[in-house]
Short mmCIF file of all heavy atoms in Angstrom, two decimals:
data_model
loop_
_atom_site.label_atom_id
_atom_site.label_comp_id
_atom_site.label_asym_id
_atom_site.label_seq_id
_atom_site.Cartn_x
_atom_site.Cartn_y
_atom_site.Cartn_z
N GLY A 1529 -6.60 31.76 -14.84
CA GLY A 1529 -5.28 32.26 -15.25
C GLY A 1529 -4.11 31.71 -14.47
O GLY A 1529 -2.96 31.56 -14.97
N LYS A 1530 -4.31 31.39 -13.16
CA LYS A 1530 -3.27 30.93 -12.29
C LYS A 1530 -3.38 29.51 -11.96
O LYS A 1530 -2.69 28.97 -11.06
CB LYS A 1530 -3.21 31.74 -11.02
CG LYS A 1530 -2.89 33.21 -11.22
CD LYS A 1530 -2.85 33.96 -9.92
CE LYS A 1530 -2.54 35.47 -10.13
NZ LYS A 1530 -2.37 36.19 -8.81
N LEU A 1531 -4.16 28.76 -12.76
CA LEU A 1531 -4.38 27.31 -12.50
C LEU A 1531 -3.14 26.58 -12.71
O LEU A 1531 -2.37 26.76 -13.67
CB LEU A 1531 -5.48 26.83 -13.43
CG LEU A 1531 -5.82 25.31 -13.38
CD1 LEU A 1531 -6.49 24.94 -12.02
CD2 LEU A 1531 -6.67 24.88 -14.56
N LYS A 1532 -2.78 25.63 -11.76
CA LYS A 1532 -1.64 24.80 -11.92
C LYS A 1532 -1.95 23.63 -12.84
O LYS A 1532 -2.86 22.89 -12.49
CB LYS A 1532 -1.16 24.33 -10.48
CG LYS A 1532 -0.62 25.44 -9.62
CD LYS A 1532 -0.16 24.87 -8.30
CE LYS A 1532 0.40 25.89 -7.36
NZ LYS A 1532 0.90 25.34 -6.07
N VAL A 1533 -1.20 23.55 -13.89
CA VAL A 1533 -1.44 22.41 -14.83
C VAL A 1533 -0.10 21.84 -15.17
O VAL A 1533 0.91 22.55 -15.49
CB VAL A 1533 -2.15 22.90 -16.16
CG1 VAL A 1533 -2.48 21.65 -17.00
CG2 VAL A 1533 -3.34 23.73 -15.83
N ALA A 1534 0.05 20.53 -15.09
CA ALA A 1534 1.32 19.85 -15.39
C ALA A 1534 1.06 18.55 -16.17
O ALA A 1534 -0.01 17.95 -15.95
CB ALA A 1534 2.10 19.59 -14.12
N ARG A 1535 2.00 18.12 -16.88
CA ARG A 1535 1.90 16.81 -17.55
C ARG A 1535 2.71 15.83 -16.70
O ARG A 1535 3.89 16.06 -16.42
CB ARG A 1535 2.47 16.89 -18.97
CG ARG A 1535 2.52 15.54 -19.72
CD ARG A 1535 3.10 15.78 -21.15
NE ARG A 1535 3.38 14.49 -21.74
CZ ARG A 1535 4.58 13.88 -21.66
NH1 ARG A 1535 5.54 14.45 -20.98
NH2 ARG A 1535 4.80 12.72 -22.30
N THR A 1536 2.08 14.68 -16.35
CA THR A 1536 2.83 13.77 -15.54
C THR A 1536 3.95 13.17 -16.38
O THR A 1536 3.92 12.94 -17.62
CB THR A 1536 1.94 12.61 -15.06
OG1 THR A 1536 2.71 11.67 -14.30
CG2 THR A 1536 1.31 11.81 -16.21
N THR A 1537 5.09 12.83 -15.65
CA THR A 1537 6.26 12.19 -16.34
C THR A 1537 6.41 10.80 -15.88
O THR A 1537 7.51 10.22 -15.96
CB THR A 1537 7.53 13.03 -16.03
OG1 THR A 1537 7.74 13.04 -14.62
CG2 THR A 1537 7.38 14.45 -16.51
N LEU A 1538 5.30 10.16 -15.49
CA LEU A 1538 5.40 8.81 -14.93
C LEU A 1538 6.03 7.86 -15.84
O LEU A 1538 6.82 6.98 -15.42
CB LEU A 1538 3.99 8.38 -14.58
CG LEU A 1538 3.85 6.94 -13.90
CD1 LEU A 1538 4.48 6.99 -12.47
CD2 LEU A 1538 2.43 6.47 -13.78
N ILE A 1539 5.76 7.90 -17.17
CA ILE A 1539 6.32 6.96 -18.09
C ILE A 1539 7.44 7.51 -18.96
O ILE A 1539 7.99 6.80 -19.84
CB ILE A 1539 5.21 6.36 -19.02
CG1 ILE A 1539 4.65 7.45 -19.94
CG2 ILE A 1539 4.10 5.74 -18.18
CD1 ILE A 1539 3.71 6.94 -21.04
N ASP A 1540 7.77 8.79 -18.65
CA ASP A 1540 8.89 9.45 -19.46
C ASP A 1540 9.54 10.48 -18.63
O ASP A 1540 9.26 11.65 -18.73
CB ASP A 1540 8.31 10.02 -20.73
CG ASP A 1540 9.33 10.64 -21.66
OD1 ASP A 1540 10.56 10.27 -21.42
OD2 ASP A 1540 9.00 11.44 -22.54
N ASN A 1541 10.37 10.05 -17.69
CA ASN A 1541 10.94 10.92 -16.75
C ASN A 1541 12.44 11.17 -17.01
O ASN A 1541 13.25 10.17 -16.99
CB ASN A 1541 10.77 10.42 -15.31
CG ASN A 1541 11.14 11.41 -14.28
OD1 ASN A 1541 12.36 11.63 -14.02
ND2 ASN A 1541 10.14 12.02 -13.61
N ALA A 1542 12.85 12.37 -17.29
CA ALA A 1542 14.25 12.68 -17.64
C ALA A 1542 15.21 12.36 -16.49
O ALA A 1542 16.31 11.82 -16.71
CB ALA A 1542 14.40 14.15 -18.08
N ARG A 1543 14.84 12.64 -15.25
CA ARG A 1543 15.65 12.37 -14.11
C ARG A 1543 15.90 10.94 -13.92
O ARG A 1543 17.00 10.50 -13.55
CB ARG A 1543 15.07 13.05 -12.87
CG ARG A 1543 15.04 14.54 -12.84
CD ARG A 1543 14.43 15.11 -11.61
NE ARG A 1543 15.21 14.71 -10.44
CZ ARG A 1543 14.69 14.72 -9.14
NH1 ARG A 1543 13.44 15.05 -8.97
NH2 ARG A 1543 15.44 14.37 -8.18
N TRP A 1544 14.80 10.12 -14.09
CA TRP A 1544 14.88 8.67 -13.96
C TRP A 1544 15.91 8.12 -14.93
O TRP A 1544 16.79 7.33 -14.59
CB TRP A 1544 13.54 8.06 -14.13
CG TRP A 1544 13.56 6.52 -14.18
CD1 TRP A 1544 13.60 5.75 -15.28
CD2 TRP A 1544 13.53 5.65 -13.08
NE1 TRP A 1544 13.62 4.41 -14.91
CE2 TRP A 1544 13.61 4.35 -13.55
CE3 TRP A 1544 13.47 5.82 -11.64
CZ2 TRP A 1544 13.57 3.17 -12.69
CZ3 TRP A 1544 13.50 4.69 -10.86
CH2 TRP A 1544 13.54 3.41 -11.42
N LYS A 1545 15.82 8.56 -16.21
CA LYS A 1545 16.72 8.02 -17.24
C LYS A 1545 18.12 8.58 -17.05
O LYS A 1545 19.11 7.83 -17.29
CB LYS A 1545 16.18 8.37 -18.61
CG LYS A 1545 14.88 7.65 -18.99
CD LYS A 1545 14.34 7.91 -20.31
CE LYS A 1545 13.65 9.24 -20.35
NZ LYS A 1545 12.93 9.40 -21.69
N ALA A 1546 18.22 9.81 -16.53
CA ALA A 1546 19.53 10.43 -16.33
C ALA A 1546 20.29 9.69 -15.16
O ALA A 1546 21.56 9.70 -15.14
CB ALA A 1546 19.43 11.89 -15.97
N ALA A 1547 19.55 8.99 -14.33
CA ALA A 1547 20.19 8.27 -13.21
C ALA A 1547 21.13 7.20 -13.73
O ALA A 1547 22.09 6.81 -13.03
CB ALA A 1547 19.15 7.66 -12.31
N LEU A 1548 20.93 6.73 -14.93
CA LEU A 1548 21.89 5.72 -15.50
C LEU A 1548 23.29 6.31 -15.60
O LEU A 1548 24.25 5.64 -15.47
CB LEU A 1548 21.41 5.32 -16.89
CG LEU A 1548 20.19 4.39 -16.91
CD1 LEU A 1548 19.73 4.17 -18.37
CD2 LEU A 1548 20.53 3.04 -16.28
N GLY A 1549 23.35 7.67 -15.81
CA GLY A 1549 24.67 8.31 -15.96
C GLY A 1549 25.41 8.36 -14.63
O GLY A 1549 26.55 8.64 -14.67
N ASP A 1550 24.70 8.19 -13.52
CA ASP A 1550 25.38 8.21 -12.20
C ASP A 1550 25.98 6.87 -11.84
O ASP A 1550 26.70 6.75 -10.88
CB ASP A 1550 24.33 8.62 -11.17
CG ASP A 1550 23.83 10.00 -11.34
OD1 ASP A 1550 24.56 10.85 -11.98
OD2 ASP A 1550 22.63 10.28 -10.99
N VAL A 1551 25.71 5.82 -12.63
CA VAL A 1551 26.23 4.50 -12.35
C VAL A 1551 27.65 4.44 -12.90
O VAL A 1551 27.92 4.70 -14.06
CB VAL A 1551 25.42 3.40 -13.05
CG1 VAL A 1551 26.03 2.03 -12.76
CG2 VAL A 1551 23.93 3.45 -12.57
N GLU A 1552 28.65 4.27 -11.96
CA GLU A 1552 30.02 4.25 -12.33
C GLU A 1552 30.45 2.87 -12.83
O GLU A 1552 31.38 2.78 -13.62
CB GLU A 1552 30.83 4.70 -11.10
CG GLU A 1552 30.59 6.13 -10.62
CD GLU A 1552 31.40 6.54 -9.50
OE1 GLU A 1552 32.21 5.64 -8.95
OE2 GLU A 1552 31.32 7.73 -9.04
N ASP A 1553 29.82 1.82 -12.30
CA ASP A 1553 30.25 0.50 -12.70
C ASP A 1553 29.12 -0.46 -12.47
O ASP A 1553 28.29 -0.32 -11.56
CB ASP A 1553 31.52 0.10 -11.89
CG ASP A 1553 32.04 -1.19 -12.35
OD1 ASP A 1553 31.99 -1.41 -13.56
OD2 ASP A 1553 32.69 -1.90 -11.55
N TYR A 1554 29.07 -1.44 -13.33
CA TYR A 1554 28.06 -2.58 -13.19
C TYR A 1554 28.79 -3.84 -12.73
O TYR A 1554 29.80 -4.17 -13.35
CB TYR A 1554 27.35 -2.82 -14.47
CG TYR A 1554 26.41 -1.72 -14.90
CD1 TYR A 1554 26.82 -0.83 -15.89
CD2 TYR A 1554 25.11 -1.63 -14.36
CE1 TYR A 1554 25.91 0.21 -16.26
CE2 TYR A 1554 24.26 -0.61 -14.73
CZ TYR A 1554 24.67 0.31 -15.75
OH TYR A 1554 23.83 1.28 -16.06
N ALA A 1555 28.30 -4.37 -11.65
CA ALA A 1555 28.89 -5.70 -11.23
C ALA A 1555 28.63 -6.73 -12.34
O ALA A 1555 27.52 -6.76 -12.87
CB ALA A 1555 28.28 -6.16 -9.93
N PRO A 1556 29.60 -7.49 -12.70
CA PRO A 1556 29.43 -8.44 -13.76
C PRO A 1556 28.46 -9.59 -13.35
O PRO A 1556 28.30 -9.94 -12.18
CB PRO A 1556 30.82 -9.00 -14.00
CG PRO A 1556 31.50 -8.81 -12.67
CD PRO A 1556 30.98 -7.55 -12.08
#
Side-chain angles (χ1 to χ4, degrees):
K1530 295 183 179 180
L1531 178 67
K1532 292 182 179 179
V1533 188
R1535 173 180 171 270
T1536 180
T1537 61
L1538 183 66
I1539 65 171
D1540 183 19
N1541 189 285
R1543 291 180 61 199
W1544 173 265
K1545 291 182 282 190
L1548 287 173
D1550 297 330
V1551 179
E1552 296 181 358
D1553 187 31
Y1554 290 99

